[in-house]
Amino acid sequence: MSRDPAGELEFAISLADLADATTLQPFHDRDFNVDWKANRTEVTELDRRTEEVLASTIARYRPEDTVYGEEFGLREGGSKWTWVLDPIDGTSNYTRGVPVWATLIALLDPNDEPVLGVVSAPALGARWHAAVGNGAANKRGRIHVSTIARIDEAQVSLTPNAGWDAIGGYDRLIELQRAAYRARGFGDFWQHMLVAEGAIDAAVDAIGLEPYDTAALWPIVREAGGTITDRTGSSSFRNGSAVSSNGLLHAAVVGYTA
């Protein structure tokens, strides 16, 4: 069965509206409980509630589709189309009152390619979306990556973590930081959306990412004219890492991360 990504994007945006309505007021009110997963990362009842709201809405309006979410895993459907949900990307920020968190929604086609992505960050008053072949946008309109072509003129975001240390890559990230004009650590989804907007020029994420952490980012960066790969330059959101850039800088950045 064929689908029009642009048509499905309207439904995905309606899901983002539901997520915002579920997550934003409790964040402002600090009205939630925090638990810990086995991997020592935080989870709140808002993570679970938001995913359940989205999954139940998909089950109602797209009953044949598969749903894969961070909190409840895989719910098989009859079609070969899959919705990938991260109900709150940046839960650690959410629990501490830092407004950098978002709901991430992606749709994968039968070839396991993300054909649309929505990133909704209501505490920032921000949202980004894209469907393959239709460009990328934020709340102000169409977005496009920068035209910076030299690392020493580039602003980059780096997210070193234990995963980088485990592969001996920490020092390489420090080299990239020194080579760049300016380096900051915006983290999580936000750094890649800043690349898509042209506000920064490249972003290197943590190692150890899950598919729901990045699937929604792929179409947005690409439709904004950028490049997004794993740290070795492979074009898959399933490889546990993510590097985005304006495309002009990608080979140079991957030279530090591969």
Side-chain angles (χ1 to χ4, degrees), residues 80-189:
K80 296 184 181 296
W81 294 80
T82 301
W83 294 91
V84 182
L85 309 175
D86 190 345
I88 301 178
D89 183 58
T91 299
S92 294
N93 288 343
Y94 190 96
T95 62
R96 293 292 299 272
V98 179
V100 183
W101 51 271
T103 298
L104 276 55
I105 300 166
L107 178 62
L108 310 182
D109 70 11
N111 296 316
D112 200 41
E113 288 293 326
V115 295
L116 69 80
V118 179
V119 174
S120 192
L124 292 175
R127 182 179 289 176
W128 302 264
H129 59 78
V132 169
N134 287 270
N138 61 17
K139 286 188 171 183
R140 298 183 300 276
R142 287 296 185 98
I143 57 175
H144 201 276
V145 295
S146 72
T147 57
I148 299 296
R150 292 167 49 113
I151 287 290
D152 62 357
E153 296 176 352
Q155 299 201 44
V156 303
S157 175
L158 307 175
T159 313
N161 70 334
W164 281 103
D165 204 25
I167 66 162
Y170 223 100
D171 289 344
R172 294 291 287 163
L173 294 190
I174 292 172
E175 290 178 27
L176 175 55
Q177 175 179 314
R178 288 172 174 163
Y181 169 69
R182 189 169 184 260
R184 292 291 185 269
F186 295 106
D188 297 321
F189 68 93

Side-chain angles (χ1 to χ4, degrees), residues 216-232:
L217 311 179
W218 241 252
I220 297 172
V221 172
R222 286 175 168 175
E223 288 296 310
T227 300
I228 184 167
T229 66
D230 72 4
R231 68 176 184 84
T232 69

